[in-house]
Amino acid sequence: MGEWSALAISQGVRDGELKAVEIAEETLSRIETNDPLLHAFLHVSPELALKRAAELDERIAKGEDPGRLSGVPVALKDNLCTRDMPTTAASAILDGWIPPYDATVVSRLKESGAVIIGKTNMDEFAMGSSTENSAFGATRNPHDPARVPGGSSGGSAVAVAASLVPLALGSDTGGSIRQPAALCGVVGMKPTYGMVSRYGLIAFASSLDQIGPFAATVADAAVLLEVIAGHDGYDSTSLDRQPPSLLDQLDRGVDGLKVGVVSELLEGADPAVAVQVRLAAETLANAGALVEDTSIPVLTYSLPAYYLLAPAEASSNLARYDGVRYGLRVDAPDVESMNSRTREKGFGAEVKRRIMLGTYALSAGYYDAFYLQAQKVRTLVINGFSAAYESYDLLLSPTSPTTAFPLGSRLADPLSMYLSDICTIPSNLAGHPAMSIPFGTDDDGLPVGVQLMAPALGEAVMVRAAAVLEAAESHLSGQQRRDEDEQ
Amino acid sequence: MSNEFETVVGLEVHCELATRTKLFCSCPNRFGDEPNTNVCPVCLGLPGSLPVLNEAAVEMAMRIGLALHCEIRPSVFHRKNYFYPDMPKDYQISQYDAPICVNGWLELPDGSKVGIVRAHLEEDTGKTTHVGSTGRIHDASYSLVDYNRAGVPLVEVVSAPDISSGQQARQYVSELRAILLATATSDGKLEEGSLRVDANVSVRRKGSDELGTRCEIKNLNSLRSLARAIEYESERQADLIRQGLEVVQETRHWSEDEERTVPMRSKEEAFDYRYFPEPDLVALVPGEQWIERVRGSMGMLPEERRKRLIEAIVRPRSSSEPTTSHISQAESDAEKSSDETPAEAVLSHVAKVVELGLDDLVIAAIELGADRRIAVMRAVNEAAADPERARHIEAGHFAKLIEMEHKGRISATQAKTILARMLEGDGEDPETIAAKEGFSALSRDELVEVINSVISANSDAWQRFVSGDQAVGKFLVGQVMKATRGRADGRAVMELLTARNEG
């Protein structure tokens, strides 16, 4: 097998040099070999994938062009609705549910010739930062199977990190794409809110959720975002604009760009992580960017605001899982007990915790003190970013304060788990794009991710800097990685 | 109710909009289809689905608001959270503190005005049928839910507490219904539930400015129930106060069979709806241009149409013609048949003509020279049988028919028969129909002859009439009508009988 990148595979398949079927077979075999240990997938559809691949090969043989992702295997986080595969959001309450429709991003992938391989594991309803809150068991980090992959899109991050698939989609509400990307050493991008349709994404917190790509390279992430982005009439919050042009920006470099390193987000980071962020800053500076430290004090209030707003929306979004229409139903003598028994059995502990938090934050007498206050903080965060973006094109920070932590180590202490997202949450509150790029490792050889943040619709500038970091990273750590491989 | 108390009522009316599709998806908005056939991921609230606002529903809400003299404002949708099996998402998307229409008023036919606090958009729920002995939820063995209605657009119109009786409440709802029909925004059927009324009722001592504790009355399925429920409820509250007891704020159910209000389960009161802005929708900000376009597209409203009709009725045809005779004639007609005051009777005829949508026809006929009284009466009584078709009658034909009756060329009974034929919609003119039916009014001589024979056959009755028993006159007229098989004109017969008696 040649280069395991989406761009290379698609090119090969479109040129007739590669067969989509062979790629699909290779993918399925990699999953079969590695996934029993990693548990990145909740569902794999070999028959569908092979049938689909065969159809693509036929079309190409007839001279058709199925699209930009021809024959490229893609894994989907299990909160994206697929009409031909179960969609559970890793919750027992949706066990076995098959949606009657495809999410908009799934339709767009199909229209561009991608081969959907299966559905990946996640924290239940995307609530968590370790993929341990799955009703179907945890996912392991391929760099160290005793460690978590991060979350909530841990399965998608691992599927790409372990080279099971070249591309995967995740969703990011408070860092659920970027944090696992960082912990698994892959590229993960959260686009501007409204850039990608949320239609068919099982909602966690509607005003924060955004679907985005995982890939091994910045270029692959860029092409995947180009395919899924763009206006959708089925999502009222979808931006009315053309998908961004990213791939053709990657070579433009960062000469003359102004980059601020956010000191508040660097403060709590492990020294090993902070060192890599400093190194990334230096790399950008060497490439011609003007880099300096900056301060956005209000960002320190992001986490508490997020943990009121996201649960508040979740408490409402998850009300529909009541046992009446689909999914799990636990029978009871009357409707109310049926509702509560179903929810008691169907939801995991973290989901229940957040439903209770959110219900409380919205309750009469508490709304002003909690929900409304948090909305005000959200406005201040947006203002804080706006002020910073008057001086800088991009902001730089760690993606996560730590590298991958051991399985089980934070489950007993929800707050320590919540702190995993301290650097990623501000961009969700603001609706801004942000991405994590692998940049070196810590002393244990665990990947470190650095985060680039940009103002709304700043994806094109963001990927330019990401490409510069990527090039430097592969140069810097190339030798180190070869050493590891030989061991 | 006794004189010491007055009733204060505010009404909340839910109007189902007559859009082609639902509020947030493109499923058909249609009543009476097979259960659960007009559904999709959005109106079933399936995971991952998102609402997209139906512009036609917004436009209808604006039409209703403009007709109610409301201000059209930027508005925000909220989620109203509570669990109920017929609510697919377990929250209802509604407008809370920023409704689309605010601060209007509705003028009733008697000229009184009721304030409109707000009119807002929201989605309807599905419909639950409890299968069991009583049809109530607590002893049902199972329940069936039909989601065809889930997501149907509603406008909830909330009045100010400006209504002071069951009768006025009834007028308010009738008038609101007339506006919905005139603006083509709802079919306004109370019986089918496309119009649903809840009444907030309280009482207070006369002259007091303070509002008493209110009760919300539900299950008002007809205008009659509405009026009776309010009367019952205000009497009940006044009794409590007289006994020195307190009115408890609660929701009460109008029991049609028992003709009284009963408390609903108190549990339903305890909801905390946890309203918060719906994050799946963006703020609705209708631009000035859109509002003006909607305003420009609106036809005349009932209030305006009534005024126009009254004007047509009282407008003098020539300088020699008195302006009030038509009204007073209509007044005296009405007086015979109801306990309304004459002025009320005319207003109610006018309101009826407008409600039937026959005002254009009547005005056109009057302009063509038709007798105003007959035109109104034929519209209110006979054309009402099929207003839809009556609206399509040629004004010239209608005017001709009235002229034939007015000139005595046909009798009133014959005129009614011809009008019924005209409603069948063949487009035939009344003269052709009259010829086919062999209709002609009796000549005066023929009529006198018949009257003579009726008098001799009913000499007892005639004697009583002569000695001043007016009621028996109707009997004699009836006998004449019978003898002529309806060819005689009742009014002319009465005139002849009276003349003969006086002569």
Side-chain angles (χ1 to χ4, degrees), chain A residues 163-178:
Chain A
S163 298
L164 307 183
V165 288
L167 295 180
L169 285 183
S171 67
D172 190 315
T173 307
S176 281
I177 291 175
R178 291 160 287 160

Side-chain angles (χ1 to χ4, degrees), chain A residues 241-305:
Chain A
R241 51 167 55 234
Q242 294 293 312
S245 188
L246 302 176
L247 214 48
D248 59 8
Q249 300 291 310
L250 297 182
D251 295 336
R252 288 189 55 194
V254 292
D255 194 20
L257 289 185
K258 285 181 256 171
V259 180
V261 181
V262 185
S263 49
E264 285 80 8
L265 301 184
L266 205 52
E267 270 163 21
D270 280 357
V273 172
V275 163
Q276 293 306 121
V277 174
R278 287 294 174 203
L279 214 53
E282 224 176 281
T283 304
L284 292 174
N286 290 341
L290 179 74
V291 184
E292 59 188 31
D293 282 6
T294 187
S295 171
I296 314 175
V298 70
L299 295 193
T300 51
Y301 298 102
S302 299
L303 192 84

Side-chain angles (χ1 to χ4, degrees), chain B residues 16 78 92 115 152 267 306 319 322 346 445 487:
Chain B
E16 250 177 32
H78 274 65
Q92 180 193 29
V152 162
K267 204 167 178 184
R306 285 194 300 268
S319 53
V346 174
D445 290 347
R487 286 172 71 212

Side-chain angles (χ1 to χ4, degrees), chain B residues 358 382-391 423:
Chain B
L358 298 176
E382 283 72 41
D386 192 345
E388 184 57 44
R389 284 198 165 154
R391 265 172 248 147
L423 287 176

Side-chain angles (χ1 to χ4, degrees), chain A residues 81 97 100-101 198-201 206 233-234 236-237 316-317 319-322 324-326 335-336 359 362-364 367, chain B residues 41 44-52 79 81 83 85 88-91 147 267 272 274-277 279-282:
Chain A
C81 286
W97 183 62
Y101 73 108
R198 291 183 295 118
Y199 189 72
L201 166 66
S206 314
Y234 286 97
S236 310
T237 63
S316 174
N317 282 330
R320 69 191 66 193
Y321 307 104
D322 57 8
V324 174
R325 290 159 299 274
Y326 44 79
V335 179
E336 268 167 50
T359 303
L362 288 174
S363 295
Y367 181 89
Chain B
L44 281 177
L46 294 188
S49 66
L50 296 171
V52 176
R79 290 186 185 177
N81 295 285
F83 284 88
K89 303 181 292 296
D90 288 298
Y91 58 80
Y147 293 103
K267 204 167 178 184
D272 173 358
R274 291 176 285 117
Y275 281 101
F276 74 101
D280 288 331
L281 290 168
V282 291

